[in-house]
Each structure stands twice: as structure tokens, then as C-alpha cells.
Amino acid sequence: MNYRHAFHAGNHGDVLKHVVLLGLCEALGHKPAPAFALDTHAGRGTYALDDAPAARTGEAQAGYAKLAAAGPPEPLLTRYLDAVAACRADLGAGAYPGSPWLLAHALRPQDRIACCELQPEEAAALKARFRGDPRVAVHYRDGYAAMRALLPPVVDGARFGRGLVLVDPPYEAQLAEFEVALRALREGLQRWPQGCFALWYPVKQRRVLLPFLRSAGNLPARSALVAELLVRADDSPLRMNGSGMLLLNVPYRFDAVLAPAIAALAIALGEPGAPAPRLEWLKEPG
Ligand code: SAM
């Protein structure tokens, strides 16, 4: 098992990422044409919050569990909480869905999903999880290289004009990962300009992220939106104080969908004195 992610499953970063992911899936469902989703760093598909690694850190207590207890009546957050409940109904009371499970849950029969995972045990678990779902292809390979190989998406001879790419690296390489991710996004956008691209990133000290955000605004996308949720002041390099999603080519008026959800998340998960959430265009849609 990839214990690194299992330790953190259901934390505030996962909540932000998974709420945004479900919002994007919902927007894709507004038109009947099939959509394609690529999950470049997929993980094992589902996690057990009552297993030793996750239970030991208790991070989900300050993330998913805190939100579930607050139960804010906001449509996108309700969608997320309902999805976790559906995962639990399927897999047991301690289960928590990873991004591949959420994609498979939220997308439709005509849509297709490709998931990449580089860690062999995680990839094997993911393959086993989706063996019975013909929409989902699991690739044991480097997710960044897959953006080159799998975009623009063609599945069984069919081309996809719509869809999303989730890039969710582990940031084991710390700041160097931002460079790699930006390079991959640039290449992905060149290969599939119609696609929506979503990169998750951790926030420790926000000022360290300024060069990354500057470069993100210069990517060859039609639009670039940033959604950040900080659960405490972003002044300590030692812990994850929050996280963000860089969203390129988002659906029309997606900022209006996200704004109330991020505001409600900040109220439910923020510690006293946490900065306000941030929803900001780096590049406004033309
Ligand atoms: N996206 C998942 C979710 O939301 O449930 C969580 C993914 S976890 C943060 C990152 C995953 O990326 C780990 O399972 C790790 O093994 C995998 N990984 C690391 N480097 C990779 C690479 N270059 N290509 C594909 N997967 C990679």
C-alpha cells in the first residue's frame, strides 16, 4: 500500500480536491456528448480511514469528518458528502473514495476514464477495483508521460472533444514538482486545447508559491482560475496549512459554482484566524 497517501486520505486537501473534481464532473454532464477524464496520479482508488495509517494521523478528522459533522447545506458540498456516503454504502463505513472512484461515480456510461499510477501495489489495487467497469482503463505508468501518450484522447477509435485532466502529484520532490507539473500542463494544453486541466498543490508558505502562480498565469490556456482553502495561517514551512487547485479552461461560470462551496468549506474546516479562502482568476476567460 502507498502509505504516504493513505496517511492523508480524507484530509482538508483531499476535501478541496474532491469537491472541485465533482463540480467539474457535474459540468461535463451538462452536455450529452461523451467526455474523457485522465487521472495522472490516481492512487489506489479507495482508502480505509479505519486502517492503521489513516487512523494514526487522524487527518480525516480535521477534514472529511469535520465537514460531515457540520453538514453545510451547499449544493456542491452535499454532492461530495453524498458521494462519500455512496462509497461507504458500497465498501463499508470506514471507506473514503479516491479520485478514480469519484470519477467513476460521477461520470456517465458514455464517458471514459484513464487512470495512471506508478507505484506497483497501488496500480494493482486500482486495477482490481475497476476490473468490472468497462469505462475505466488503468495504466501502470508515469502520469506525466501519459499526458503526452494519451492526449488528445482517442478510445476505441473515438475522439473526445470534452473532458478533464486531474494532476495530483505527491510533491515528494517539494518545489521541483511544481516545475515538472507546469511543464506537463503546458504540453497537455498544446496536445488537447479543449481539455480542462486541474492541478492540486499544497500550501505551506504562500509566498513561496508566487513564481509558480506567475508561470501558471502564462500557460497557453483560455483561462486560469485558482481556488485555495487555508485552514490556518500560511506562514509555516513545516506543515500543510492549506492547498489549492489551479484550474485551466474551466467550464463557463465555474467560479460562480465554486464560490459558495469554498466559502462554506472555509467556515467548516478553518481554524480560528485562518485566512479567507481565495478564488481568483490568474487569466480571465476572454
Ligand atoms: N489522486 C488521488 C486521489 O485523489 O485519491 C491521490 C493520489 S496521491 C496524492 C499521489 C499518487 O501518485 C500516489 O499514489 C503515488 O504512488 C502516485 N505517483 C507518484 N508519482 C507518480 C507518477 N510520476 N506517475 C503516476 N503516479 C505517480
Side-chain angles (χ1 to χ4, degrees):
M1 177 185 290
N2 178 343
Y3 283 101
R4 275 192 75 83
H5 188 61
F7 274 122
H8 307 302
N11 70 3
H12 57 82
D14 262 6
V15 174
L16 173 72
K17 176 196 326 172
H18 294 159
V19 164
V20 172
L21 184 64
L22 288 173
L24 291 174
C25 289
E26 188 193 10
L28 283 175
H30 290 164
K31 291 189 184 153
F36 175 82
L38 170 61
D39 191 344
T40 61
H41 295 68
R44 63 192 291 114
T46 57
Y47 298 87
L49 296 184
D50 41 7
D51 262 7
R56 216 177 303 148
T57 65
E59 284 194 32
Q61 289 306 316
Y64 159 71
K66 200 169 171 189
L67 181 68
E74 194 288 323
L76 194 46
L77 300 187
T78 302
R79 179 174 290 267
Y80 163 76
L81 292 171
D82 286 351
V84 181
C87 178
R88 294 184 159 200
D90 199 15
L91 301 173
Y96 183 80
S99 48
W101 192 96
L102 291 168
L103 286 168
H105 173 74
L107 294 179
R108 306 159 301 176
Q110 68 267 40
D111 301 328
R112 294 293 177 269
I113 301 162
C115 299
C116 301
E117 173 56 49
L118 198 52
Q119 218 271 340
E121 286 155 41
E122 299 294 281
L126 192 57
K127 271 195 178 142
R129 166 74 54 219
F130 291 108
R131 195 163 287 136
D133 190 335
R135 300 171 304 157
V136 183
V138 175
H139 303 265
Y140 167 39
R141 66 180 302 172
D142 175 31
Y144 290 126
M147 282 169 84
R148 207 169 307 132
L150 301 183
L151 299 180
V154 181
V155 181
D156 298 332
R159 292 183 171 278
F160 291 77
R162 315 170 55 245
L164 68 88
V165 178
L166 173 66
V167 184
D168 182 21
Y171 290 89
E172 276 158 6
Q174 306 278 335
L175 286 177
E177 188 95 50
F178 286 94
E179 290 297 317
V180 178
L182 282 170
R183 243 194 331 271
L185 287 173
R186 180 173 291 277
E187 189 159 18
L189 284 160
Q190 280 157 353
R191 297 188 67 84
W192 196 31
Q194 310 95 306
C196 167
F197 292 74
L199 170 71
W200 180 89
Y201 58 88
V203 180
K204 293 178 177 177
Q205 286 173 299
R206 192 183 321 179
R207 63 177 175 76
V208 175
L209 297 177
L210 294 180
F212 156 69
L213 293 171
R214 252 195 312 276
S215 303
N218 290 325
L219 285 168
R222 291 186 304 284
S223 66
L225 179 69
V226 155
E228 277 182 9
L229 172 71
L230 295 164
V231 295
R232 46 188 169 256
D234 50 355
D235 56 358
S236 161
L238 298 178
R239 56 184 188 171
M240 192 171 91
N241 297 307
S243 66
M245 294 289 279
L246 168 65
L247 301 165
L248 306 169
N249 294 346
V250 281
Y252 180 63
R253 289 189 55 72
F254 192 64
D255 56 333
V257 173
L258 221 44
I262 302 269
L265 271 183
I267 291 168
L269 302 186
E271 296 175 6
R278 178 174 178 214
L279 188 62
E280 193 178 310
W281 291 107
L282 301 178
K283 189 193 271 186
E284 290 211 42

